[in-house]
Amino acid sequence: MRNFTKLAALILGFASFAVRADLEPWKDYDISESVWSVTTVRVDSNMGDAYLEGLRETWVPGNEISKKLGQIEDYWIYSSDLPDSGDFNLLLVVKFKDTDALAPNKARYDAFMKAYTKDRSDKATAKAQKDYPGMRKLTGNYLMREIKFK
């Protein structure tokens, strides 16, 4: 009887491996049309506030203009409560309506540059090239979509 119990357990164990859990998109879960661009950043110790100050002068105004023009839906900055652990300690996140909103588009570019101005663009480029390399390292760029199970 004891061997039978072991054999039955073994058979049930193998049978459970045969059951596949292959999910199908749009049947078992939905994938968002929206796309999030996520940049992971490793900000050097004691440089967090200086880097945020730079983002406030460069990244934030650009995203505000893009949002007003309807080129992006929203944007966020997330900071780790444990800044000295892991490969990154800051996330820069931008939400786009869909993949098409990421594609190169001259009309969107021209509208953005008109609103952002050449002077502001030149200042942001100078700050990013001069200050940012000494404060941080970009550790990854990702395009993410939301998954919702049905």
Side-chain angles (χ1 to χ4, degrees):
M1 183 71 169
R2 191 170 182 191
N3 287 338
F4 177 76
T5 305
K6 286 182 183 179
L7 181 61
L10 186 63
I11 290 170
L12 285 174
F14 284 126
S16 68
F17 286 119
V19 176
R20 297 186 53 176
D22 292 342
L23 299 178
E24 292 183 40
W26 297 285
K27 178 183 171 195
D28 300 307
Y29 61 92
D30 289 326
I31 304 170
S32 68
E33 294 260 334
S34 296
V35 180
W36 285 260
S37 169
V38 179
T39 301
T40 57
V41 184
R42 178 74 181 150
V43 180
D44 293 341
S45 295
N46 299 317
M47 295 304 292
D49 287 340
Y51 187 59
L52 289 175
E53 181 180 352
L55 290 176
R56 184 179 64 188
E57 295 172 18
T58 59
W59 193 77
V60 170
N63 282 303
E64 281 295 322
I65 290 168
S66 292
K67 192 172 172 180
K68 286 178 187 165
L69 292 171
Q71 297 175 349
I72 66 172
E73 291 189 357
D74 213 342
Y75 66 95
W76 301 268
I77 299 172
Y78 296 100
S79 178
S80 173
D81 281 345
L82 306 170
D84 290 324
S85 65
D87 294 330
F88 62 89
N89 51 20
L90 196 79
L91 295 174
L92 303 176
V93 181
V94 180
K95 183 180 181 186
F96 294 87
K97 178 183 176 187
D98 54 28
T99 305
D100 290 340
L102 291 166
N105 180 291
K106 184 173 178 359
R108 281 195 303 255
Y109 173 79
D110 289 344
F112 176 83
M113 290 310 295
K114 181 178 179 184
Y116 195 64
T117 73
K118 172 111 172 73
D119 182 54
R120 184 185 280 170
S121 176
D122 290 345
K123 286 180 183 175
T125 298
K127 182 158 194 66
Q129 290 175 349
K130 179 182 169 233
D131 295 342
Y132 290 169
M135 291 184 206
R136 58 90 170 120
K137 178 182 177 189
L138 301 180
T139 60
N141 288 297
Y142 306 88
L143 293 179
M144 311 291 283
R145 292 182 190 272
E146 183 177 22
I147 301 293
K148 288 193 177 180
F149 290 104
K150 293 183 175 191

